[in-house]
Amino acid sequence: MPDGEPRTVRADARFGQGFLTDTWYLAALGRDFKPGRPIHMDLLGEPVVLGRSPGGQLFALRDVCPHRAAPLSAGAFHRDSFGVESIACPYHGWRFRADGACSAIPSLTADQAMDVGRIRVRRYPVVESQGLIFVWAGGAPDGEPDHEPPTFPGVVGGAPKLVDRMVFDAHIDQAVVGLMDPAHGPYVHRQWWWRTAASMHDKEKRFEPREAGFAMVRHAPSSNSRAYAILGGRPETEIVFRLPGLRWEHVTVGRRQVLSLTGLTPLDAGRTQVTQIVWSDHPALGLLKPVVGVMARTFLRQDAHMVELQNQGLKHDPTLLWIDDADRQAKWYQALKREWAASRREGRPFENPVKPATLRWRS
């Protein structure tokens, strides 16, 4: 095939090939955790109870009591006379500390000797960083984190300008590939304030490897991306993707900043929670907050609708055909995922397979 022509290739992996472990997943915003109110979520197909005790301690445990399998998230927090906090099962009151160890079984009598501390539920390491809650999904039940959760640039950690959540009926692989796809805008997101069919033109962007991912290096937004006009000035943007499912766009306009973060969290093999958060110190986002919210929510629901349509074809287990350069980011994602799993399996450092590249596509 002559040089310069796009090469049609078979996708080297199908959607739904498993979840990455030994990594941090975005679970919630810190403000979602009210002291003393446990909540349930699914993570990688496992039930998890998350919460902040009345004393402020973060809990993340398997949401199944080992006694009669009642969900701990339906129970309440307890503090004993020594100040030790635990969560009590709603069925028989068995209590479990933040480390997963049982601290009390109320039905035991005083003369029934039993080391209740030997009874445990799985503990998930959990941290709060920049106002975000991350949960560590270890490959082994007793695995401990070997790196910190990611940190993000810009004015992150304060009150966000926008928070939107949806659950996509999709495996996280499908959701990630859709998230980073550069060519669907004129078709899925066709609005007067964003893209039109008539505005399509050739794009050329430089990419480089970043920690566990890659970045579209800082550049002026495309002229047919009209929404940037509300920021005024001469905005520049950098878009970063990082495993297991984090994408953020950092826009600067002089000294003002906008950070838009999208976090994908696999609930199970067929559902992915999508969390979109925007922080900014730009006055336009304060004045136009309702408008920006409508625009962002419209985008997310358009993507969700396309996932529903895509599912109609994926149920037939088709072979997927991906081309260069528009699908290169999807291929990078698969390569990153394979290398992450291999490095963990082989006990060696992660080696980023992404190489610097200039990609071209029309959108």
Side-chain angles (χ1 to χ4, degrees), residues 277-324:
I277 313 168
V278 177
W279 296 267
S280 181
D281 61 357
H282 196 295
L285 267 76
L287 294 171
L288 299 175
K289 184 176 179 179
V291 176
V292 172
V294 170
M295 293 164 65
R297 291 181 178 91
T298 297
F299 264 43
L300 199 56
R301 279 142 190 81
Q302 289 169 336
D303 285 328
H305 176 62
M306 184 51 59
V307 164
E308 293 173 0
L309 294 177
Q310 193 178 14
N311 283 338
Q312 295 178 26
L314 288 174
K315 68 183 179 182
H316 301 291
D317 194 26
T319 297
L320 306 178
L321 301 176
W322 291 353
I323 62 172
D324 286 339

Side-chain angles (χ1 to χ4, degrees), residues 178-221:
L179 176 70
M180 63 180 56
D181 177 76
H184 72 279
Y187 305 98
V188 178
H189 303 303
R190 186 179 295 180
Q191 282 96 14
W192 65 267
W193 44 265
W194 185 245
R195 300 280 173 84
T196 65
S199 73
M200 291 179 64
H201 62 262
D202 291 353
K203 308 286 181 67
E204 183 175 291
K205 306 295 182 184
R206 292 189 301 115
F207 290 79
E208 63 185 24
R210 292 289 175 86
E211 184 176 2
F214 54 86
M216 181 190 295
V217 300
R218 192 165 294 280
H219 60 282

Side-chain angles (χ1 to χ4, degrees), residues 237-254:
T237 183
E238 178 179 74
I239 301 174
V240 181
F241 173 79
R242 173 172 168 160
L243 291 177
L246 295 167
R247 177 196 184 273
W248 62 91
E249 180 173 4
H250 183 214
V251 183
T252 56
V253 187

Side-chain angles (χ1 to χ4, degrees), residues 258-278:
V258 181
L259 193 285
S260 175
L261 171 67
T262 305
L264 304 182
T265 308
L267 305 180
D268 52 39
R271 297 180 304 142
T272 300
Q273 179 174 285
V274 183
T275 304
Q276 190 169 2
I277 313 168
V278 177

Side-chain angles (χ1 to χ4, degrees), residues 148-163:
E148 297 296 318
T151 55
F152 306 101
V155 286
V156 181
K161 301 296 184 182
L162 169 74
V163 178

